[in-house]
Amino acid sequence: MKTVQYGLFAAFILFLAACGGTGGDDRSELLGAGGGVAGGVPTSSCFDDCLAATGDVDGCTGACGGMVGAGGGINGTGGAVGTGGTGGGVIGAGGGMTGTGGGTFGPGGCGPVDTTSMCSQPPAPGSQAPPPLPPYSGGVCPPIVPWDDTRPFNNIAGGRRFIVVEPQNKCEGEVFPVAFMWHWISGEAEDFVGAGALQQVADDNRIVFVVPDAKGATVGLGINLDTQWPFDATQTEQRMQEEFRFFDDMLSCVGQQYNINVNCVGTVGISAGALFTSQLLQDRGHYLSAAVVLSGGVGGVVKPWKGSQHRMPGFVLWGGPADNFGGFFDFNVISADLSRNMAQSGHFVVECVHTCGHVPPLLEPLPDGTPGLQPLLSFFLEHPYWLPDGASPYIQGLPSTFPGFCGVGAGGGIPSAPHTCPGVSF
């Protein structure tokens, strides 16, 4: 276990609960002007008075300009998201993501349920859709046990294991985005769960996290380095397909047990996990709605870019010229190669380049004192599969919550230092 030395990753994930904002977030074209997708958010006084008089949450929500009410959508006629909501919307001005500045609680207090991120909206008519979930290679999926104090792993075909972190207090019929989280070279799945505070993030943002545990992959260059995940140029096609099939099996079985949003299946990788994610987004891109790559990349001793069937948006971050691992992986080169190749292939790309090297850069704490880092899951939740290739609500600029070293497009990241550089590496 390496949870202590990687405790700073809590800062990396906890920021996710307060991403968004209205600056640069233009969703009116994507959702449609003059009404959006799901109606306005109820005003506080109307909703409170109605609820006190009737006790009918659904009725009051509709009567007060709620989720399905007529007149004014989530964006209205291009207005800011969630500005009339009780406590702010999911991406509302002054609000955070679901559970931090608003959100909608279901019957009996379950939830809160995400109702305003792009992932929570129905697909636009005639938009692209992901293929059916892959079949499970082991025949019948085993029951999935969610993570709790007993720290259970789930075993799957091929002797592989993974962790599932589900939101607590689920609502009946609630649909969940799914994010696959690939750990760093000296980490384990358990480290990502604990150091990333994934249970809290799952509860706040209504996401199912799937956290695979690595099998190991030795680089065949005579250097005796186990990179945990296969991604370097010496890995055989058989070994790569074994790992892709592991992803297929996890997605298949999670999709059978949970009511998942197939339009919002993302992948997040850190360091070695990001290098594998850089391969996964190409070979299994047809299942993925978004990819977040933190010190990953392609080229050099890593397998090169070959393209993806689906042009999902990519969030590519690295630590500038000093981002190097053991002299073998120059992330300043291979991350930039990934960003450039994705952009040239028609993917929307957000590029972030800090100057801390191969470490997770910390940013200013949130107003409530919670430490923060990149708005990674906000990026994920605002980019469902059904968006047209190359489209993004961030196309005209990033929300104000993004740090100054992030920008739109390959080359958009402006190398600069964050608030502070942590003293640990991946």
Side-chain angles (χ1 to χ4, degrees), residues 34-47:
V37 173
V41 179
T43 59
S44 178
S45 59
C46 171
F47 182 81

Side-chain angles (χ1 to χ4, degrees), residues 32-123:
V37 173
V41 179
T43 59
S44 178
S45 59
C46 171
F47 182 81
D48 290 346
D49 293 343
C50 175
L51 187 63
T54 67
D56 184 355
V57 174
D58 293 337
C60 292
T61 299
C64 295
M67 322 266 172
V68 195
I74 286 176
N75 278 330
T77 55
V81 180
T83 51
T86 306
V90 170
I91 312 291
M97 249 183 217
T98 307
T100 61
T104 301
F105 287 86
C110 68
V113 179
D114 175 13
T115 57
T116 59
S117 75
M118 293 288 281
C119 271
S120 73
Q121 309 307 321

Side-chain angles (χ1 to χ4, degrees), residues 343-356:
Q344 290 176 349
S345 298
H347 299 253
F348 174 78
V349 173
V350 168
E351 184 180 284
C352 300
V353 188
H354 60 87
T355 55
C356 293

Side-chain angles (χ1 to χ4, degrees), residues 118-138:
M118 293 288 281
C119 271
S120 73
Q121 309 307 321
S127 60
Q128 59 184 336
L133 296 182
Y136 174 49
S137 67

